[in-house]
Amino acid sequence: MESSDVELDLQRSVQAVLRELSTQAPALQSNQGMWRWSLHKKVERDPGKSPALVRILLRELEKAESQDLRHVIIPLLHTVMYVLTKATGITEELYQRIYAFCTRLLTLPTPYCTVALDCAIRLKTETAVPGTLYQRMVIAEQNLMNELYPYQERVFLFVDPELVSASVCSALLLEIEAAQAQQTPEACMRHVVSHALQAALGEACHAGALHRKLQDSPRRTLEHYFHAVVAAVEQMASKASPSREGHVERLEEIYCSLLGPVAGRCGGDLVQERPPSIPLPSPYITFHLWTGEEQLWKELVLFLRPRSQLRLSADLEVLDLQGLRPDRELARVSVLSTDSGIERDLPTGADEPPAPSSPEIERAGLQRKGGIKKRAWPLDFLMPGSWDGPPGLHRRTGRPGGDGEMLPGVSRLHTARVLVLGDDRMLGRLAQAYHRLRKRETQKFCLTPRLSLQLYYIPVLAPEKPAASRQPELGELATFLGRVDPWYQSNVNTLCPAIHKLAEMPPSLDTSRTVDPFILDVITYYVRMGTQPIYFQIYTVKIFFSDLSQDPTEDIFLIELKVKIQDSKFPKDGFSPRRRGVAESPGAELSLCYQKALLSHRPREVTVSLRATGLVLKAIPASDTEVSGSRHCPLPAAPVTDHTCLNVNVTEVVKSSNLAGKSFSTVTNTFRTNNIQIQSQDQRLLTLSLDKDDQRTFRDVVRFEVAPCPEPCSGAQKSRAPWLNLHGQQEMEAIKAKPKPLLMPINTFSGIVQ
């Protein structure tokens, strides 16, 4: 195919991707995600098309910038970065043009500047040291141990067999196993060596001869050249001002040493055969059936443990990881105290706080008088920040997760990419496991300093009955993610019908043939390029039952809390029979006390009593429109883009009188709040259902309280410092009085696009 025909074909594919982002036509929705996948497959099968595709994507980016078509900028950036990660033969001038474009985007608001900054940092290194992105990605994802780049990643795929059919589970497992059967460590090392040499040397590298030589090399020789290439790339990339010329010279030496005399003859060949394709292996994925909220923590512990120390004790609470030295730093040390506890026994001036620059302050960290010695973390150390917490511009150097050291001397070398499949019920169970994991970290601080945790979600619905002909609707959180991130909608939300089609296909037991899996490729693209998290508030609910002997219970929810009125009443002392001929009003008399969510963020307490047949508390906004105000409190609500508020929908009973007598009708009132207390006033019992999960249903409820779930350690991190002045102590107490809310991040491609 001629050069003009190749560019025309690639241009048509790029335009198809852009049309998919610009229209919501049903005819195109059925093929969403396929255009992006087929575009990458074209350059994967023929690497020589990569420079042409990069030039086309750059022209489209510049066109979008000049015409202010911001909705296509982030998808195009992700597309071009994914191509550059795999490509070889990209000129330095083309790298510099893309880098200059990314720097111009830094003046735009988030998320554009955040994604552009991430791309610019990676492009700067790739321009000076070609092949760095590919090499680091393969080493981390395949756990190829190397001292110069010791980072490791793993994708944990969790599927709940109660929510996803057995055919879907087996189909996904077979596709993962078929792809990973071809990805041996030797094959991955060959890919790294071949890609690094071709990216640096360009046309001077004879790809065919290099491929044959690597195929015939024994494992020891292959490991030698693998470590040599990794050392050359990492040593040059770690320099403050890496030299592209110096990098090319070093790889030329490795290339000549590998091929020997053949290297000189190959360099003079006028005609070379078509270079073989260098695949980018899919990441190492482990498949897990969801068994409970403890499973996530246990799998992460096993991931961190060295292979030589896989034997765990029966009680996982006593876990200690290398480098934390729990015996000396985390243990409680008892010291004999000589303090009588009587105020008059204190030495003179002991109750006066020393000056900030006094020697007493300097010695405070070196010695302590009496009492119990506990591990004290820095005052500004909070858990959310240690788990890639609330949004900011995170600069990424060579680390997969973009994290530095959370504690001195303890590096984050592991990245766990937890991917869950299912509906809203699965997300509720994930929120429970995430909350449980964070509570464990307050007791045993072992995962946070060493692990970067990334959460991903792909909606998979339960199979519909044959009579249901309409298109099944996605869950609330998946719909929200697709609405705020068009690239997530195009690539991830469209996987649901494709996964069900895969489950209906007969399984192929032939693992020797080369597979071209669509589902696995899209999952791989998502976990690699989905680096921008959206944070969702987790809410806690305290439930009081009609049986006074039953203790109140606490639980959490992420999506919704639904309240139904039971027909039965809880027992009371007196019995007053209903008069004959008097119709009983439907529903129950409820007392609502809540804090109104206002644009000014000022607290406004509202207390109302009304009769209702039910109510639903939604944590995810249903649409981009403003919610209607309640007739009991018609104050302006917070914008819907703020998804960290509860949307309360109350089905209120309205009584009216006419000539025919009394009648009742219902009207739905909606308001927004941060916390709410609801109590039944007329002996009617309530049934609560959390996150649409039948397993999380509570009956015979008379009162419940809902509030944002606090960060488990936010209150424990702050302590009273006697040397601070009065203003400093009041500030610390105010911080302690307002615990930081617990937010669960779900990774997307761009975050929230306004």
Side-chain angles (χ1 to χ4, degrees):
M1 187 180 294
E2 298 181 359
S3 171
S4 58
D5 296 335
V6 169
E7 293 193 5
L8 186 60
D9 179 61
L10 294 175
Q11 181 70 37
R12 283 196 296 263
S13 298
V14 172
Q15 291 299 324
V17 174
L18 297 179
R19 284 195 304 270
E20 182 180 281
L21 291 169
S22 304
T23 183
Q24 297 296 327
L28 292 178
Q29 289 181 355
S30 60
N31 293 324
Q32 279 189 336
M34 292 294 297
W35 295 111
R36 197 274 319 161
W37 178 76
S38 62
L39 179 64
H40 285 297
K41 281 299 174 182
K42 288 180 179 180
V43 294
E44 184 177 309
R45 297 188 182 102
D46 187 0
K49 297 180 180 180
S50 297
L53 179 57
V54 172
R55 286 192 296 267
I56 292 172
L57 293 172
L58 180 58
R59 286 200 301 265
E60 294 296 335
L61 281 169
E62 294 171 344
K63 179 182 176 181
E65 180 189 24
S66 61
Q67 299 181 3
D68 199 25
L69 302 175
R70 295 188 180 182
H71 68 285
V72 302
I73 288 180
I74 292 180
L76 287 174
L77 274 179
H78 283 309
T79 304
V80 73
M81 289 303 300
Y82 206 59
V83 174
L84 290 176
T85 301
K86 301 180 180 182
T88 60
I90 306 298
T91 63
E92 185 176 2
E93 179 266 340
L94 199 52
Y95 275 122
Q96 292 175 350
R97 286 179 57 191
I98 303 174
Y99 176 79
F101 176 83
C102 291
T103 56
R104 293 198 301 269
L105 295 182
L106 298 180
T107 58
L108 297 179
T110 55
Y112 306 100
C113 62
T114 308
V115 177
L117 177 63
D118 178 72
C119 295
I121 293 173
R122 290 187 290 167
L123 281 170
K124 187 174 182 179
T125 304
E126 185 72 12
T127 303
V129 189
T132 307
L133 297 180
Y134 180 95
Q135 174 177 293
R136 288 176 172 176
M137 184 175 290
V138 175
I139 291 176
E141 291 180 349
Q142 305 300 326
N143 296 329
L144 302 178
M145 303 304 296
N146 187 273
E147 294 181 356
L148 294 178
Y149 195 77
Y151 301 97
Q152 300 180 42
E153 296 183 9
R154 183 175 297 177
V155 178
F156 298 84
L157 178 60
F158 286 98
V159 178
D160 195 327
E162 296 180 357
L163 308 179
V164 180
S165 64
S167 59
V168 170
C169 295
S170 59
L172 289 173
L173 182 59
L174 286 175
E175 185 162 327
I176 292 172
E177 291 178 346
Q180 293 185 349
Q182 308 169 17
Q183 299 173 183
T184 62
E186 293 81 3
C188 294
M189 286 190 287
R190 281 194 292 267
H191 297 333
V192 170
V193 174
S194 181
H195 185 276
L197 294 177
Q198 292 186 42
L201 304 181
E203 297 180 356
C205 174
H206 192 282
L210 177 63
H211 176 75
R212 290 189 293 269
K213 181 65 176 180
L214 292 174
Q215 288 286 347
D216 299 336
S217 299
R219 181 184 175 91
R220 178 171 297 183
T221 303
L222 186 60
E223 289 181 349
H224 168 74
Y225 284 104
F226 167 75
H227 291 295
V229 167
V230 173
V233 172
E234 291 300 328
Q235 289 173 0
M236 184 60 67
S238 62
K239 294 183 178 180
S241 300
S243 170
R244 186 183 180 104
E245 291 76 13
H247 175 65
V248 172
E249 290 179 1
R250 174 61 184 138
L251 288 189
E252 279 182 349
E253 296 176 0
I254 298 176
Y255 175 73
C256 294
S257 173
L258 177 61
L259 290 185
V262 183
R265 296 196 303 269
C266 293
D269 290 345
L270 296 178
V271 180
Q272 298 184 11
E273 69 260 24
R274 179 177 173 179
S277 174
I278 305 175
L280 180 58
S282 59
Y284 180 64
I285 301 176
T286 56
F287 189 89
H288 307 272
L289 295 179
W290 187 269
T291 57
E293 60 183 32
E294 297 289 342
Q295 185 183 11
L296 176 61
W297 187 82
K298 293 177 181 178
E299 293 296 341
L300 295 180
V301 168
L302 291 173
F303 176 44
L304 283 181
R305 296 287 289 186
R307 294 182 180 179
S308 59
Q309 301 180 8
L310 281 180
R311 289 181 299 175
L312 293 176
S313 61
D315 185 7
L316 291 176
E317 291 287 354
V318 300
L319 171 71
D320 60 282
L321 297 178
Q322 288 184 350
L324 287 181
R325 295 172 292 179
D327 295 336
R328 280 189 284 175
E329 296 187 11
L330 290 180
R332 292 162 55 126
V333 181
S334 297
V335 182
L336 179 64
S337 175
T338 59
D339 188 354
S340 66
I342 303 175
E343 186 175 355
R344 66 171 178 265
D345 292 344
L346 292 174
T348 305
D351 56 344
E352 297 178 1
S357 59
S358 63
E360 288 82 358
I361 292 295
E362 297 180 2
R363 291 196 299 269
L366 303 178
Q367 62 183 4
R368 183 177 181 271
K369 181 183 178 183
I372 300 296
K373 182 179 179 182
K374 295 183 179 181
R375 176 64 177 256
W377 303 107
L379 293 179
D380 58 346
F381 181 80
L382 287 176
M383 292 285 290
S386 66
W387 290 87
D388 300 333
L393 296 182
H394 303 287
R395 297 187 64 87
R396 302 170 61 146
T397 52
R399 304 175 178 89
D403 302 310
E405 294 182 353
M406 298 311 304
L407 294 177
V410 181
S411 299
R412 282 178 138 184
L413 303 180
H414 296 74
T415 299
R417 306 191 184 277
V418 177
L419 172 65
V420 296
L421 273 66
D423 53 14
D424 288 339
R425 294 172 293 176
M426 183 62 193
L427 287 168
R429 298 176 186 182
L430 175 65
Q432 284 186 309
Y434 184 72
H435 178 256
R436 178 64 176 167
L437 185 147
R438 302 295 290 272
K439 288 183 68 175
R440 278 184 176 271
E441 285 297 285
T442 65
Q443 303 167 4
K444 195 69 175 178
F445 196 64
C446 58
L447 292 182
T448 306
R450 291 185 171 276
L451 180 71
S452 174
L453 178 63
Q454 309 286 326
L455 301 180
Y456 301 82
Y457 170 59
I458 294 179
V460 177
L461 306 181
E464 295 286 339
K465 296 180 180 179
S469 58
R470 62 182 182 87
Q471 184 73 14
E473 296 181 359
L474 297 175
E476 294 184 32
L477 193 136
T479 303
F480 175 81
L481 293 178
R483 190 167 64 246
V484 300
D485 185 355
W487 204 227
Y488 183 93
Q489 172 67 26
S490 177
N491 289 277
V492 179
N493 279 350
T494 55
L495 271 185
C496 184
I499 290 177
H500 285 295
K501 290 181 180 178
L502 174 66
E504 296 172 358
M505 297 173 58
S508 175
L509 301 179
D510 184 12
T511 59
S512 61
R513 63 183 182 87
T514 302
V515 295
D516 208 12
F518 172 72
I519 306 295
L520 183 60
D521 284 348
V522 178
I523 290 176
T524 299
Y525 180 77
Y526 175 37
V527 298
R528 283 172 175 166
M529 309 307 292
T531 59
Q532 305 302 317
I534 296 179
Y535 295 88
F536 293 92
Q537 175 67 63
I538 297 177
Y539 291 90
T540 179
V541 53
K542 189 173 184 179
I543 304 171
F544 300 84
F545 300 95
S546 60
D547 186 1
L548 298 181
S549 63
Q550 186 175 0
D551 294 332
T553 185
E554 289 190 10
D555 207 333
I556 62 171
F557 68 95
L558 180 71
I559 308 294
E560 75 167 24
L561 185 152
K562 191 171 185 178
V563 182
K564 294 182 179 180
I565 311 298
Q566 295 179 199
D567 294 334
S568 59
K569 298 182 179 181
F570 62 85
K572 55 183 179 179
D573 297 334
F575 175 74
S576 56
R578 188 180 49 174
R579 289 181 298 173
R580 181 178 299 178
V582 178
E584 184 178 2
S585 301
E589 193 73 23
L590 302 179
S591 173
L592 282 68
C593 180
Y594 61 93
Q595 186 177 9
K596 187 70 174 178
L598 302 175
L599 290 171
S600 61
H601 298 287
R602 296 175 181 173
R604 175 65 181 271
E605 295 290 341
V606 179
T607 302
V608 296
S609 294
L610 51 82
R611 194 163 195 87
T613 59
L615 67 156
V616 181
L617 283 66
K618 296 280 189 182
I620 309 296
S623 64
D624 295 329
T625 58
E626 290 286 346
V627 295
S628 59
S630 168
R631 64 185 181 92
H632 299 286
C633 188
L635 296 174
V640 174
T641 52
D642 180 16
H643 58 284
T644 55
C645 284
L646 281 173
N647 300 281
V648 183
N649 303 314
V650 183
T651 305
E652 184 180 359
V653 177
V654 179
K655 182 174 63 175
S656 59
S657 301
N658 48 36
L659 296 177
K662 294 181 179 180
S663 61
F664 303 97
S665 60
T666 58
V667 61
T668 301
N669 293 317
T670 305
F671 57 90
R672 312 194 77 213
T673 181
N674 293 317
N675 50 66
I676 188 171
Q677 301 177 14
I678 299 177
Q679 182 171 358
S680 177
Q681 299 289 342
D682 59 353
Q683 291 82 42
R684 285 285 188 179
L685 299 179
L686 310 176
T687 298
L688 307 186
S689 178
L690 304 182
D691 289 330
K692 311 175 185 179
D693 196 342
D694 295 336
Q695 296 183 3
R696 303 173 61 198
T697 301
F698 301 89
R699 294 181 56 84
D700 301 335
V701 178
V702 295
R703 182 165 67 93
F704 64 93
E705 302 171 358
V706 177
C709 182
E711 182 70 39
C713 69
S714 60
Q717 297 292 335
K718 309 300 178 182
S719 60
R720 187 178 180 87
W723 57 83
L724 292 179
N725 55 24
L726 180 61
H727 176 72
Q729 291 178 359
Q730 291 176 348
E731 184 177 355
M732 289 182 61
E733 291 175 359
I735 295 176
K736 186 176 180 179
K738 296 181 180 180
K740 198 167 185 179
L742 176 60
L743 306 177
M744 189 177 79
I746 300 293
N747 277 22
T748 62
F749 294 100
S750 61
I752 297 181
V753 179
Q754 300 290 348

